Amino acid sequence: MSTLSQTLTELVQVAAAAAGHADAPVALEPCVPTTDPAHGDYQSNHAFRLGKALRTNPRQVAEAVRAALPAHPLVASVEVAGPGFLNFRLDDAALADALATAAADPRFGAPLPGAGRTLVIDYSSPNIAKRMHVGHMRSTLIGQALDRMFRFLGYAVVSDNHLGDWGTPFGMLIVAWDRWRDEEAFGDDPVAELLRLYQRFRAEAADDPALMEQARAETANLQAGEPRARSLWERFVAVSMAEFDQVYRRLGVRFDETLGESAYDAMLPGVVDDLLARGIAVEDEGAVIVRFDEADGKGLKDAVAVVRKRDGAATYTTTDVATIRYRMDRWTPDVIVYVTDVRQKQHFQQLFAIAARLGVQADLRHVAFGMLKLADGQVAASRSGGGLVSLVEVLDEAVRRARAVVDQRADEIPDEAERAAIAEAVGLGAVRYADLSQNPQSDVTFDWDKMLALTGNTAVYLLYAHARCWSMLRTAGVDPGTPRPLALIDPTERTLALSLLRLPEIVATAAEAARPNLLADHLFGLAQDFSAFYLACPVLKDDVEPAVREARLGLVAATARGMALGLELLGLTPLQRM
RNA sequence: GCGCGGUUAGCUCAGCUGGAUAGAGCGUUGGCCUCCGGAGCCAAAGGUCACAGGUUCGAAUCCUGUACCGCGCGCCA
C-alpha cells in the first residue's frame, strides 16, 4: 500500500516525464497537504523546481504537468494556482474507500519502508549503582517511541540497553563496601546503600589519595576476573537491574539486549591495537589517541580522542568502537541509532569518524536530545547535581494526580481496579506526552505542573478522544475491527478522514527524522478534527438516518483505530473508558 | 580562545527541512451541559519570528555578520 502523498507524487512524476521533463536535474518534490482547504487537499510544488532547472516560467511548467497528468480514481480535480502551485482535490468516494480499507487493515494501510533492513537502537543506558532520576527519562521515552515506530515501519529492530556497568566507579564501590557497608540498609534499599557508599568514597577520597589507589587496584582486580571483586560487582549489577526492571516494566519498555560496557571489556586491547595498526590512532605522550581534522566534519577541527590512557586503561570511545564492531559482526545492521543527550554530540562525531575510517558501512545516527533543566537553570542530568527528583517519584505523583480525577467518576466506573489502571495509564501518559510532544532537540525545564497537566494539549486530551470514540461504539454495539463502508459528506468528516489517512506517512517522517513530536502533533490535530466532527455530525441521535449513522460509525471506528495506533507507537495506553 | 546549538504571543512550546494569510496549550476576557462523555466545545484579545544584510518567483526556515543565552573542548562517561 502507498500513502496519499506517494500516490500523488508518483502521478506528478509520470506527468513531468510525459511533459518532456524526465531529464530535468531535479529531485522529485513530494506532494504535501495544503495549508488551506481552499487550495484543495494536497499540493505539488514540483513545478517551481522544474521551472528553475529549465529556466522557464513555473506556471507554464505546472500547466504542462497538469495537462499530462494521468487520470486517477483518487483525484477529483487539479488546478494550477498562483505562481505555479499544483492543487489536488481528492475524490470523496475514493477517500472513503481508502479509509475503509485502511481501517480494516491491522497496519492501518501503512507501507513497510523499513522492510528488509536491520536497525539497532541504543537507548536508556543508565548507570549501575545509581538511581534513575528525571534526567534519565528522556533517553528512555524518546528511545522507546522511536523503537516502536521503526518496528512499525518494518525494520528488524534490535533494541539494546548499553548500561554503564564498568570502570573505576566499581573499584570505588568495592573499597567503600569493604570499609563502610551497612548490610541492613543494603537489605532494605540496596541502591540507596550503594549510592551512599559511592558518595562517601568520593568525599573521603578527596582527602586521602591512598583510597583512589585502592580503588584503581580493585578495578584492575575486577577486570582481571578476580572472583571476589567479580562477585561483588555481579551483586551490585543485580540489585540495580532489579530496580531498573521495575521502571521498565511499568513504562512498557522492553530491550532485546542488555549489553553493558562490561560486555566489551575483552575486546578493548584488540580495538586499540587495530586502530594503531591501521594508522587511525597514534601514540602521544604515553597515551594512544586519534586525531581529527576538518575532513571529518567541521566540528572536529583539531579534535582529539583518547582511546588508551597513559595508565593503559581504555576509554568510553574505545568501548563504543568495540560496540560498533560487535553489532556489525552480530547483526550487520543498516542503521544504528543512539539516543543520548546533546552534550555527547562531539563524542559521537568522533566515534562516527573513527567508524568511517574503519570502513563501517552502517548509517550511524545520533539522536541528540536537549537537556532537562531544573527551574533554577541547573542541568538535571549533571553528575554534580544532587537532590534530583527520582523518576519513580515523578511517576507516582503523576498517577496520584490522575487518580484524584478518575475517582470523581467513581459512579460511572465503580470498579476500583479499573480506576487504578486508568489512573496509571493517564498519569504515565501525561509524563510521557509532556516530553514526546516537544522537539527532542529542545531543552526542557522540569516543571511539575506542566509535566503532570491533565488539560489542554496533553495525553489526556488524546486518550479522551479515543475513549469517546469507544463510548459511541459501545452504545451502538459496533466492533471497530469489523470492516464497514464509509461516506464522507460533511466537511468535518472529510477533514477527519484525510487526517487519519495521513497517519502512516507521519509515522515514517517522524521516525526517520527522529522526532516523535511530529506524531504527537498529528494525533493532537486528529483529536481536534474528531471533536469538530463530533460537534457537527450527530451519530447516535434519534433523527439520524440509518445509512448516515452506519457510515459515521465507520468513521468513528476508523478514528478509534487510528488514535490507538498512534498512541501505542508513542508508548501510551489507549483506554476504552476513562 | 575554538566548536556546536538556541532566540517565534504575557508564559511554555510547535512550525512537516524554501511555499500561499506564522500556529497550539496555559493564562486573560466572553459564551456553551432539556447531554452520542464538560478531562470537552465556540469566540475574542495577544506577533517587527533577537538584530542587520544577502540569496529568489517566495525566507521563521538557507547564507554572512552582530548581540545575548546554553552546551562542549586528549587521558570522566
Side-chain angles (χ1 to χ4, degrees), chain A residues 200-228:
Chain A
R200 175 144 184 200
F201 181 93
R202 302 294 299 218
E204 304 234 358
D207 304 324
D208 185 358
L211 276 176
M212 250 340 271
E213 281 310 310
Q214 290 179 37
R216 267 192 273 275
E218 289 293 357
T219 306
N221 283 340
L222 176 60
Q223 287 172 341
E226 191 265 321
R228 201 189 73 94

Side-chain angles (χ1 to χ4, degrees), chain A residues 362-412:
Chain A
D363 176 7
L364 304 177
R365 304 179 191 173
H366 179 215
V367 178
F369 57 83
M371 287 158 305
L372 185 69
K373 295 177 172 178
L374 305 181
D376 59 5
Q378 194 189 356
V379 175
S382 74
R383 277 177 296 280
S384 58
L388 291 172
V389 186
S390 88
L391 183 49
V392 171
E393 200 179 325
V394 172
L395 301 181
D396 285 345
E397 176 63 17
V399 173
R400 197 175 306 129
R401 292 193 189 197
R403 183 61 194 263
V405 179
V406 178
D407 281 344
Q408 290 169 10
R409 305 183 85 98
D411 51 336
E412 292 169 57

Side-chain angles (χ1 to χ4, degrees), chain A residues 24-316:
Chain A
V26 286
L28 189 68
E29 175 135 340
C31 291
V32 295
T34 57
T35 45
D36 184 343
H39 298 133
D41 299 317
Y42 273 77
Q43 67 184 54
S44 170
N45 304 323
H46 191 53
F48 294 111
R49 291 205 182 175
L50 273 178
K52 185 166 289 186
L54 302 168
R55 294 206 187 86
T56 48
N57 182 342
R59 171 118 198 161
Q60 283 175 13
V61 177
E63 292 286 6
V65 171
R66 191 184 78 91
L69 272 173
H72 191 281
L74 202 52
V75 180
S77 63
V78 189
E79 286 177 1
V80 175
F85 297 107
L86 207 52
N87 291 338
F88 293 86
R89 178 161 175 93
L90 305 182
D91 182 74
D92 294 352
L95 275 181
D97 287 349
L99 184 58
T101 304
D105 174 10
R107 297 187 35 77
F108 212 69
L112 289 159
R117 310 188 73 206
T118 300
L119 180 148
V120 175
I121 182 165
D122 174 330
Y123 64 97
S124 196
S125 309
N127 290 327
I128 292 293
K130 297 205 177 156
R131 180 145 274 155
M132 279 175 107
H133 57 68
V134 286
H136 295 107
M137 197 164 57
R138 299 205 78 192
S139 178
T140 307
L141 297 184
I142 294 167
Q144 181 189 19
L146 293 176
D147 181 344
R148 292 185 173 201
M149 287 191 268
F150 281 121
R151 281 178 211 271
F152 179 75
L153 295 174
Y155 286 89
V157 174
V158 179
S159 57
D160 187 11
N161 193 3
H162 191 70
L163 297 170
D165 64 354
W166 207 236
T168 37
F170 293 93
M172 298 180 198
L173 271 178
I174 291 168
V175 173
W177 175 265
D178 288 344
R179 293 181 173 235
W180 308 305
R181 73 172 173 272
D182 177 341
E183 297 271 10
E184 194 180 334
F186 186 79
D188 289 345
D189 186 344
V191 175
E193 174 63 4
L194 292 180
L195 275 172
R196 186 188 73 82
L197 289 173
Y198 182 75
Q199 280 157 6
R200 175 144 184 200
F201 181 93
R202 302 294 299 218
E204 304 234 358
D207 304 324
D208 185 358
L211 276 176
M212 250 340 271
E213 281 310 310
Q214 290 179 37
R216 267 192 273 275
E218 289 293 357
T219 306
N221 283 340
L222 176 60
Q223 287 172 341
E226 191 265 321
R228 201 189 73 94
R230 184 88 195 176
S231 94
L232 276 175
W233 172 80
E234 281 169 359
R235 207 166 159 195
F236 299 157
V237 170
V239 297
S240 290
M241 277 314 297
E243 193 170 294
F244 294 153
D245 281 341
Q246 272 190 309
V247 176
Y248 291 143
R249 203 172 308 120
R250 195 169 179 190
L251 292 174
V253 174
R254 195 192 58 77
F255 291 100
D256 297 309
E257 301 287 345
T258 301
L259 294 167
E261 293 164 357
S262 62
Y264 304 98
D265 187 60
M267 291 175 67
L268 300 180
V271 166
V272 175
D273 290 345
D274 188 47
L275 290 172
L276 279 168
R278 295 186 191 222
I280 296 170
V282 294
E283 296 202 39
D284 184 87
E285 298 175 22
V288 177
I289 63 168
V290 179
R291 290 186 198 284
F292 304 93
D293 55 47
E294 277 180 301
D296 296 304
K298 253 191 221 163
L300 292 187
K301 185 183 172 188
D302 300 330
V304 170
V306 174
V307 292
R308 188 167 71 204
K309 298 188 280 188
R310 210 173 299 158
D311 67 5
T315 69
Y316 71 123

Side-chain angles (χ1 to χ4, degrees), chain A residues 425-434 437 451 453-466 524 527 563 567 570 572-573 575 578:
Chain A
V426 168
L428 299 189
V431 171
R432 196 187 294 275
Y433 187 83
S437 59
M451 181 171 292
L454 300 176
T455 57
N457 183 356
T458 62
V460 171
Y461 184 80
L462 305 185
L463 295 171
Y464 183 66
H466 177 261
F524 181 66
M563 285 295 303
L567 291 169
L570 290 179
L572 283 92
T573 307
L575 295 168
M578 62 187 281

Side-chain angles (χ1 to χ4, degrees), chain A residues 467 469-478 576-578:
Chain A
C469 290
W470 266 94
S471 174
M472 296 166 82
L473 298 172
R474 257 196 314 272
T475 305
V478 164
Q576 296 180 8
R577 203 152 70 128
M578 62 187 281

